[in-house]
Amino acid sequence: WAALAQAHLGEAAPALAELRRVTAVFKASNFAGPYRVLGLLGEAQRLAGDFDAALATQAEALALIGDDPALMSQRLPVQREIGLAEVERGHFGAAIAALEQALAGLRAQQPHATPERADVLLGLGRAHIAMGSPALALPLLQEADQFWRGFDASTRGARDAGFWLHRCHELLGSRAQAGQAP
């Protein structure tokens, strides 16, 4: 977790090195849950901007999870990360599919909003904007923005949610001014 925290702080190289080392240890020991470490490595790769590697790592994690009903909750962070990486790659249809699955699972598992859910909402909102559907993005971005304002308005997540919510309002305002349906 410390390595992932480093990645979130922008210290990609040491975070990736540590997560690769831990992943190798977990794989070599035949530990029952290397998918968790792979998920962390994939998240760090996404944060470092290596979206192709992040997707490959998350695909490996999904393969290890498989269809085991006992591990279905472990699919949610992997789906979240796949969706977020796909947003960054500009593959918005794939992003929406992965993020909607993750959001449905998170809503079912967690009665209250979390940073993970806010990340999914933001990713979905961004994908909908990119697909030309700001009206679909608006409630998602409003929910993400509301969460971050109440949780910690000084975070990058809060700044990103505020930026994209503002952008969504601009797009919807432009359409309304042009006489188009939102």
Side-chain angles (χ1 to χ4, degrees):
W1 295 107
L4 186 58
Q6 279 184 303
H8 276 276
L9 293 172
E11 300 171 20
L16 289 169
E18 178 62 11
L19 286 166
R20 285 185 184 114
R21 185 190 68 73
V22 171
T23 299
V25 168
F26 272 66
K27 284 181 175 181
S29 69
N30 292 319
F31 177 71
Y35 52 84
R36 291 186 56 86
V37 177
L38 283 166
L40 297 176
L41 174 59
E43 184 174 349
Q45 289 167 324
R46 177 185 58 82
L47 292 168
D50 193 349
F51 309 120
D52 292 335
L55 285 170
T57 301
Q58 297 299 355
E60 187 178 351
L62 270 184
L64 290 171
I65 293 168
D67 293 328
D68 184 345
L71 297 177
M72 284 298 112
S73 67
Q74 300 302 317
R75 294 179 73 84
L76 297 178
V78 174
Q79 289 169 319
R80 179 191 76 228
E81 284 302 315
I82 288 171
L84 294 174
E86 292 290 21
V87 168
E88 297 302 335
R89 290 179 62 201
H91 298 163
F92 302 113
I96 289 170
L99 292 170
E100 283 180 346
Q101 286 180 10
L103 183 59
L106 288 169
R107 287 193 194 281
Q109 281 188 353
Q110 303 170 349
H112 302 290
T114 61
E116 293 81 12
R117 188 191 304 181
D119 285 346
V120 170
L121 292 164
L122 179 58
L124 268 173
R126 289 181 57 199
H128 283 301
I129 286 174
M131 298 285 286
S133 301
L136 292 175
L138 183 61
L140 301 166
L141 295 171
Q142 287 172 326
E143 187 178 344
D145 184 63
Q146 180 181 3
F147 168 78
W148 284 115
R149 286 177 186 269
F151 185 76
D152 185 351
S154 68
T155 65
R156 178 181 174 183
R159 288 187 302 275
D160 289 349
F163 171 84
W164 285 102
L165 179 59
H166 178 76
R167 180 73 183 123
C168 188
H169 280 297
E170 285 179 335
L171 291 169
L172 290 170
S174 296
R175 287 185 177 190
Q177 290 174 359
Q180 299 173 1

